[in-house]
Structure formats: structure tokens, C-alpha cells
Amino acid sequence: MEYRIGSPATLAIPAPTHVVGPGPGRRAGPRHTAAMTAETFQGRIGRTWRESTPWWPPDPTPPAEAPNVVLVVLDDVGYAQLGCFGSDIDTPVLDGLAAGGVRLANFHTTSLCSPTRACLLTGRNHHSNGMGRITDLATGYPGYWGRVPRANGFLSEILAGAGYLPVAVGKWHLTPEDETHQAAPRHSWPCGRGFQRWYGFHGGETHQFVPSLFQDNHSVVPPRRSEDGYHLSEDLAERAIGYLGELRSVAPDAPFFLYFATGACHSPHQAPPHWIDRYAGRFDIGWDAWRERTFARQLEMGLLPERTRLSVRPHWVPAWDTLVPEDQRVSGRFMECFAGYLSHADAQIGRVFDFIRTLGEWDNTLVVAISDNGASAEGGPIGSINDVRLWNAVPAGSEELRARVDELGGPTAHNNYPWGWTMAGNTPFRRWKREVHQGGIADPCIISWPVGIPTDGSVRHQFTHAIDVLPTVLELIGLAAPAEVDGVAQAPIEGVSFAGVLANPDTAETHTIQYFEMLGSRGLYHEGWKAVTFHPFIHLYNDGLDPDAPFDEDNWELYHVAADPAEVTDLAGAEPDRLTAMIDLWWQEAAKYQVLPLDNRLLAALLDPRRAPDDRVTQVVWPFGAPIPENRVLSVRNRPHSVTATVVIPARGADGVLTAMGTVLGGWSFHLLDGHLRYVNNFVGAARHVVSSPVRVQPGAHTLAFEYQTEGNFRGHGRLLIDGDLVGDGDIAQVAFSRYNITGGGLTCGWEQGPAVGEGYQAPFRFTGHLERVVLAVEGAEHRDAQAEFDAIMSEQ
């Protein structure tokens, strides 16, 4: 008798429509995309092996000669900040990429980080991805849930199913902060979305000398200290090279997909000093003159229509000539830091490209390099030396910036340039990141594939969008989007391939309509025309606009962007019927892509019931684990609290951190220094308040505690106790109103992330005794400043 389980049938695994045998030089390794089950088994099972026929599901196989794919995502780099888009900043690697490939001069994004990255990796609009805003400002509507649905498969998932080896290096920011700790689910982390390996950071930004790093599904510390020359951009390049080398050591023929997302050039604008110093004096001409010279180069390069006019400097940006010489020097130094940061990142990208050349695979590597949004204006009118201070209502003034100018670009500063340089970085466009005028959504894009597309450095002027990258990559490879990914039926791809545009500059525009919406501002592109309206979400520019005004009262503008890409001539009055039709079309697109309901009340997102205050009164923290994100830590700000550590001090004595929150830019640290118990309150990097004990902690088992009593108005008194006995006390003149830090400095136990919160020691300053645990305990209601929380979240996008 023969037993047959199931019948021969097509394998139930997601597969591209183009699946062929390995081409010359291509052999995929065993990477089954579905478990073998009785329902899919196509062999024969008898009573013994003599009557049976084995069968294995076929390995996914890429098309013959499928290229490697590299997607480079820069952060907060404006349209005019790469050399190949008109800048005088040195970016020879990306300029060389453009010279041997194609530039898209009319490429667009969403104007913010998380939304654009979701578009790039899924080919769907940001609201379709639940990323109408950044992932940390989710609300209870489908377009704003802050998590990309499984029906919107990632490029990494699609390519893995076609035999590719996907790895991610760098910034992610597609996981909510409250899911970035070690007890969180990993389904939205890179390795939960198709990448085999990941090394990088969550969130919008991180310290470039002491970053908060993750590898695959766990937290890790940087491999070197800043004092030893560490910088994140270099580390990311080394890790990317390492991953590719590991792949090629065991799978020499399978194509890879490298997602390489730099921290540059998001603030903090930190770079090795010699990279910054090479720009000394370069920007003394000021942002007005720099902008005019850049615009002239853009016209000469053919990036813009011949009759393009430069947009007018907005009234809230001061003319460079109105700045006194001391402030011009500070502003110039801010820009020198940005330029050094960008040039340094460009060089690290070059190291990755060079390794691919060393592999002998450059000619068959498809590279797409973009920025996620326009240049950032978060530095405000004069620039910021520590963004934490902006949302704690104590920004550094001009006098302090002059005194600390030499700190800019280094580990003790979280610098972000003044918005005059933002305006210049988006030349020739209006406005900037977070807004849907061209300065926020028009970005550089470079495509290179030596054996597959033109290599003449030519420019394309057809409208393209971030959602078009995925379908273009698939078409160039020779794959169709799968109907299912990991058993989940897929939503339609909303982007349109521009592969034909790359091949022939005379090809008709394939993407003819695209809506825009961010934080209440809206726009619509349609066949060379753009309707746009700015709706503020906070009072910011002193322009008389009210964030609370009804959306129906917004002033819509109309531009023929095919001839006027800088949005200089508003044709709303001359073409009222066209404008009305485009506004109506915007509402249709908004309904289609989950944009509604319109809501610019960002504080409402922070006060959502889902984000109810923590009702715990104690939290136990165990030593030497990963940093805990600040929003997962019991809030001690402006409320009575205690921090209690249970320790054993060895005979030789002990030093080191018991527990700490934050970095040199703001936070607190409870530690032993030279055997003395000590608490340091670092108020946003502007002041340190130290409570210390004059007596040494003696060998043996002890309970070490810090107690804080508030005196109101964010002031209080601290006490140090050893086994319940008071050993020191002192006033703490100011505690933080809002978050302590935004560069990833969460709560640590037994060590500090660094740079150090206090003075007199260097992080990580690991505790050298035995630390059993630390307990945080609080009294009273949690203090919450929703506006400050919002400012904190927005400042790191």
C-alpha cells in the first residue's frame, strides 16, 4: 500500500513573476521562503524509502545577471547641498556617482524622515503606510498609526524572496520609540522586515561620537571611544563593508541589497575636527551670496529651466549683512561644521563603493542615492548649540554662542545651523523640511548602474517621487511585485517606475499626479502644475498665520512648476478654475490614500489616551543592561523621588556609575567618585548642580540612596544617604522641564553611555563593586509638558 500526503502542486511561497535558473556567475544559497508542509510537498511518501521519492522546495532564484542594489539615504540634505546639485561643498564621491549615472532634478519626498523612508522601502504613499507623520506622533487613524502594515511589503522582503541577501546599516526610524527597548517586539525592526542583518540606530538622530547603537535585535556599545577617534559615519561604513565581506565569503554569487542610511547630515552636526577645519572661512560670504552663486551653478548645470527665478528670502530670515561681525563668525562656523560633516560622510560612502569595486561588482551594482527631505530649520534663527535647550525654554543666546564657538562640531555640542543656511541649502526653493513647498519636498536623487543605464552624467526633469524608487528597482532587475509576501496579500504599489525615463531623457513623464500633506500643510502636483497651502502647526515665523484657523480658510497658491520650480509667481488669481479643480482633486487623493482626517493638533497625539501617564510608583533596574528609552523610564522630573542602589563594596573600594540618565547634553548621574557618593544634575548642558558626600563609602554591603524634594518651579533639594544615614545634601537650582536628551541617552544602570553627564570622570565609568539593583520610586503626579514633548520629538526628525 502507498501513502500519498497531498498532491503535487505549485509551492505556496511568494515568488516574483520573473523566476529563472541561476544565470552565469549567479548561484543563490539555500534560503527557503516557506516551511515545507504536507500541503506543499511534491514528492511521494511510501511505507519505506524504497517506495518514496524525496522532494525539496526550490530555492528562490534571482533573474540572470541580477544587479546588486545599494540604496543610500542621506538625512536632512537639501536640494542644493551636494556638489552635483550646485553646492561648493566637497562631495566628490556622490558627484562622481552622478557623473557616471543620471541625476533626477525633479525628485520629491514627503518632507519628513519616517514618512519618506516608508515610501522608499514600500512603494506606497506615507499615509497608506500609516506614516502620515513620524512614527513617534501616531494617532488612532489608519493613515497615522505609525506602523507600516504587512500588506505593504518592504523592498528587503521582496528581494529576499527573489534570492537576494538584504542587509541594513544606519538609521531606521520606522519603529516607535516605545518599541525600541530590549523587552519590545521586534516585528517593526529591520530584521523583522526582511533584512538579514542590521547595524545602526533607532529614532531620528543620535550622537555622532557616542551613538546609541543596535545590532540585529539587541543593543550594543560603539566599538571605540570618541577619544580614540570614533565617529559614527566611519563605523557605519566599516560595518557595511564587513557585512558585504561576510556575504561574499560564503555566497560569492548571490546579489545583495544594501540599505545604507547615514546619520549625516541630521543634527547634531558633528564631525572629526580636521574635516571641519578644512572649511575655515569658506562661508564668510554669508547665506545670501552663497545662495546666489549656487543658483548660478544650478542653471549652468541644467538642473533648472532656463527662466527659473530664485525665490525671495523670507522676511523672518535676516539678511546676512545685518549680522554683526561676531555673529557672522558664529554663523559661518555653524555652516563649516555642516559642510565638514557632509564631506566626511561622502568619504565614508566612498569607502563602501570602493569595496564593491574591490569585489569586482561595481559595474553590475544599481545605486540609488537620495535625501529624505529638505534642509532642516530646527536650529532656529541664530542656530542651536544644544537642541535640548530649545524645548526646555533656555536656548543659547548670541553671547553664549560667541563664547562657545570652538565647541561647535564636537562631542559637547549638539549644533544645528541657523535657518539662513537652511534657506540656502534648499536653493532655489521656498521653505524647508516639514513643509510641502518645494524646499521641504524637492531633494537630490542620483541613479547609477554602469551596465544598465546611461553613464553620461545626464539630467532628467520629469517629476518623480520616493514611492517610485521601489517599482523602478524591480523593473530594472526584472522582477514584478509579488501578490503575497510571507503569506500576506499585498496592497497595490502606488509608485510608478521611471526606468524608461532613465533610459531616454525624452520619455514622457510617468508620474503625473501626486498629493502632499504634512502636519496640516497640503499640496498637489498635476501635469506640471502645483497647488499648495501652508498651514502652521505652531506659531513660529511671526507671519500672522493661526495654527487653530479652520482648514477651509487656508490660502491656496498655484504655480506652473514646469517653468517656475521655485514657486515664485503665484497664478492663483490668474487661473482660479484650475486652482479650484486641483483643490478638489487634492481632496479626492486625500480620501483615496488615508490622509483624512486633517489634523495639525500635534499635542493631541501626545495626549492620546494610548499615551496615558505611567501609573507605576517604582521601577526596578538591573545592572549593565542596555539603555532604556526615556519614555519607558519612570518620570522623576519635578516630582518627589528617590533612587536607591543595593551594592557590595569590595575591600579595595569602588567607583563608577550606579545609574544615570542622559549625556553631557543633559541628564543626571548617581555614582561614586573617588569613593564618595555623588549626584549630578546636568540641566540641558547649561549648568551642573552637584550633591556630594564628604565621607567615603566603606567596604561591605550598603544601601545607597538619593532623595529629591521639589520646591516647585522646577527647583528642589537633594539628599544623599548611606544605609539610611544622611551624608550630604544640596540645592538643585533647575531641573529639566521636558526630556533630558534626544541623542539616545536613555537610562543606564552600572554605566553611562556618554559623553559623561558629570565632570571628573569619563563614560562609561562602569561600577567596580557589586551592584545588585537600583530602584526608582516616585510620589505625586507625573509632570508633563505636551508642548515641550512635541518640540523634542520634532527637533529630532
Side-chain angles (χ1 to χ4, degrees):
M1 179 180 293
E2 178 180 277
Y3 292 91
R4 187 171 182 78
I5 302 177
S7 59
T10 302
L11 251 187
I13 56 174
T17 58
H18 187 166
V19 179
V20 298
R26 288 288 188 220
R27 185 177 67 252
R31 291 178 300 279
H32 303 303
T33 59
M36 186 169 66
T37 67
E39 287 72 25
T40 60
F41 181 67
Q42 296 185 43
R44 183 181 300 273
I45 299 178
R47 297 189 68 175
T48 72
W49 63 269
R50 290 180 174 86
E51 299 90 29
S52 304
T53 304
W55 178 87
W56 295 96
D59 291 328
T61 307
E65 299 302 322
N68 301 314
V69 177
V70 177
L71 177 53
V72 177
V73 183
L74 300 170
D75 202 333
D76 286 4
V77 173
Y79 185 88
Q81 290 177 324
L82 298 180
C84 52
F85 278 79
S87 175
D88 65 351
I89 298 173
D90 301 325
T91 53
V93 172
L94 291 171
D95 295 351
L97 190 73
V102 174
R103 279 168 291 170
L104 303 184
N106 200 7
F107 180 78
H108 296 78
T109 59
T110 69
S111 84
L112 266 186
C113 168
S114 303
T116 293
R117 292 162 197 265
C119 290
L120 286 169
L121 288 170
T122 69
R124 282 88 168 181
N125 284 301
H126 53 310
H127 295 88
S128 299
N129 283 312
M131 288 286 178
R133 301 167 180 168
I134 54 174
T135 186
D136 305 308
L137 286 175
T139 60
Y141 299 102
Y144 302 89
W145 275 335
R147 293 165 177 82
V148 180
R150 291 282 162 180
N152 295 1
F154 278 36
L155 181 59
S156 46
E157 295 169 318
I158 295 171
L159 293 183
Y164 272 73
L165 306 174
V167 294
V169 175
K171 175 173 172 174
W172 185 240
H173 208 196
L174 290 171
T175 297
E177 184 185 12
D178 57 7
E179 293 182 6
T180 62
H181 53 86
Q182 295 303 287
R186 306 298 204 272
H187 55 266
S188 66
W189 292 34
C191 292
R193 294 308 307 241
F195 289 103
Q196 295 183 2
R197 302 298 309 274
W198 173 51
Y199 182 82
F201 62 97
H202 284 296
E205 65 177 61
T206 194
H207 200 286
Q208 296 297 298
F209 293 110
V210 192
S212 294
L213 289 174
F214 295 81
Q215 181 172 332
D216 301 332
N217 285 329
H218 59 278
S219 172
V220 296
V221 298
R224 298 184 302 281
R225 301 188 309 162
S226 60
E227 294 85 356
D228 300 324
Y230 176 89
H231 190 278
L232 177 60
S233 295
E234 297 175 10
D235 189 14
L236 295 181
E238 289 162 8
R239 190 56 57 118
I241 292 168
Y243 280 168
L244 296 183
E246 289 172 353
L247 295 179
R248 283 296 174 257
S249 296
V250 293
D253 302 323
F256 60 76
F257 168 40
L258 170 63
Y259 178 70
F260 189 79
T262 66
C265 278
H266 197 293
S267 64
H269 296 163
Q270 298 168 324
H274 61 280
W275 282 89
I276 296 174
D277 292 342
R278 66 174 58 187
Y279 285 101
R282 175 83 65 92
F283 303 102
D284 290 353
I285 62 172
W287 46 65
D288 293 315
W290 191 92
R291 189 171 182 239
E292 292 172 357
R293 295 181 186 183
T294 299
F295 179 54
R297 287 191 291 266
Q298 290 173 329
L299 289 173
E300 183 179 353
M301 290 176 173
L303 293 166
L304 305 169
E306 290 183 3
R307 296 184 181 181
T308 300
R309 288 185 291 159
L310 184 63
S311 61
V312 177
R313 172 172 43 79
H315 68 84
W316 56 81
V317 175
W320 179 263
D321 291 344
T322 65
L323 273 61
V324 299
E326 296 86 351
D327 292 338
Q328 287 182 344
R329 173 71 194 100
V330 171
S331 294
R333 187 60 173 175
F334 270 115
M335 189 58 188
E336 291 165 14
C337 293
F338 176 89
Y341 188 25
L342 178 56
S343 291
H344 178 246
D346 179 80
Q348 309 319 307
I349 295 168
R351 293 173 59 202
V352 177
F353 290 175
D354 285 344
F355 183 74
I356 298 173
R357 291 185 178 96
T358 299
L359 295 174
E361 301 181 36
W362 179 255
D363 286 350
N364 198 28
T365 296
L366 169 61
V367 180
V368 181
I370 66 112
S371 176
D372 60 354
N373 45 246
S376 166
E378 279 103 340
I382 66 171
S384 168
I385 197 168
N386 184 350
D387 283 359
V388 181
R389 296 179 61 172
L390 297 179
W391 37 266
N392 274 281
V394 284
S398 296
E399 185 174 341
E400 181 179 352
L401 292 179
R402 295 170 191 168
R404 299 181 62 189
V405 65
D406 292 336
E407 290 184 53
L408 297 180
T412 63
H414 182 293
N415 47 293
N416 203 343
Y417 54 25
W419 60 30
W421 290 118
T422 310
M423 171 195 68
N426 290 328
T427 302
F429 304 126
R430 296 179 57 192
R431 296 191 178 267
W432 37 55
K433 173 185 174 182
R434 302 192 298 194
E435 301 170 10
V436 299
H437 282 74
Q438 292 295 90
I441 61 174
D443 292 286
C445 181
I446 306 166
I447 317 286
S448 169
W449 183 19
V451 301
I453 67 170
T455 59
D456 57 0
S458 53
V459 176
R460 303 291 184 268
H461 294 281
Q462 295 88 336
F463 180 95
T464 50
H465 189 275
I467 61 175
D468 301 332
V469 170
L470 181 144
T472 301
V473 169
L474 294 184
E475 181 174 347
L476 291 173
I477 292 173
L479 298 172
E484 291 186 354
V485 170
D486 290 336
V488 178
Q490 294 295 286
I493 299 293
E494 294 164 359
V496 182
S497 172
F498 52 77
V501 170
L502 295 175
N504 183 354
D506 298 323
T507 299
E509 190 169 274
T510 56
H511 194 144
T512 59
I513 182 171
Q514 177 63 44
Y515 82 91
F516 296 94
E517 190 278 337
M518 188 57 66
L519 309 173
S521 292
R522 289 153 285 156
L524 182 87
Y525 172 83
H526 186 223
E527 297 181 349
W529 291 80
K530 182 182 174 187
V532 61
T533 182
F534 171 68
H535 191 106
F537 51 89
I538 54 174
H539 293 284
L540 184 61
Y541 305 131
N542 192 29
D543 53 11
L545 298 177
D546 182 4
D548 297 325
F551 290 103
D552 288 342
E553 296 180 6
D554 288 341
N555 177 53
W556 282 83
E557 304 156 23
L558 178 67
Y559 300 99
H560 187 207
V561 288
D564 179 22
E567 299 171 326
V568 173
T569 303
D570 183 1
L571 299 175
E575 298 256 13
D577 293 341
R578 183 188 296 274
L579 178 59
T580 298
M582 292 187 70
I583 294 172
D584 290 343
L585 187 54
W586 184 91
W587 285 104
Q588 294 174 33
E589 296 291 288
K592 180 179 179 181
Y593 293 114
Q594 301 185 159
V595 181
L596 306 179
L598 280 179
D599 187 356
N600 69 324
R601 301 171 307 139
L602 298 182
L603 299 186
L606 295 172
L607 298 175
D608 187 271
R610 203 169 62 89
R611 301 171 180 263
D614 196 330
D615 59 2
R616 295 174 298 171
V617 295
T618 62
Q619 181 174 2
V620 179
V621 187
W622 302 94
F624 303 109
I628 303 172
E630 187 171 341
N631 71 356
R632 299 294 296 181
V633 177
L634 203 59
S635 176
V636 300
R637 289 192 305 273
N638 204 42
R639 66 197 297 197
H641 67 270
S642 64
V643 184
T644 304
T646 304
V647 304
V648 177
I649 305 297
R652 66 181 182 278
D655 277 340
V657 171
L658 301 169
T659 187
M661 167 73 78
T663 72
V664 68
L665 301 172
W668 54 266
S669 178
F670 183 40
H671 57 255
L672 271 72
L673 181 64
D674 295 329
H676 298 273
L677 194 59
R678 192 168 182 252
Y679 180 90
V680 177
N681 173 67
N682 182 328
F683 178 59
V684 299
R688 288 185 175 93
H689 313 107
V690 180
V691 181
S692 61
S693 165
V695 299
R696 291 180 183 272
V697 182
Q698 297 302 307
H702 297 286
T703 298
L704 310 178
F706 168 78
E707 294 179 348
Y708 174 84
Q709 286 297 324
T710 180
E711 298 174 354
N713 199 29
F714 298 91
R715 300 172 183 272
H717 192 80
R719 306 195 320 151
L720 296 173
L721 301 99
I722 300 176
D723 301 324
D725 297 328
L726 180 67
V727 295
D729 68 328
D731 291 332
I732 296 178
Q734 186 73 70
V735 298
F737 310 136
S738 182
R739 294 182 55 157
Y740 294 105
N741 205 272
I742 57 177
T743 57
L747 184 76
T748 54
C749 186
W751 63 289
E752 269 190 37
Q753 180 171 323
V757 173
E759 295 178 307
Y761 64 94
Q762 287 187 333
F765 198 37
R766 294 182 179 275
F767 185 61
T768 57
H770 173 72
L771 175 59
E772 179 181 317
R773 64 178 181 173
V774 172
V775 178
L776 306 182
V778 297
E779 300 175 19
E782 176 184 350
H783 165 74
R784 293 197 68 190
D785 185 333
Q787 179 65 58
E789 290 180 41
F790 163 72
D791 291 345
I793 290 172
M794 291 308 298
S795 69
E796 64 167 323
Q797 304 318 309

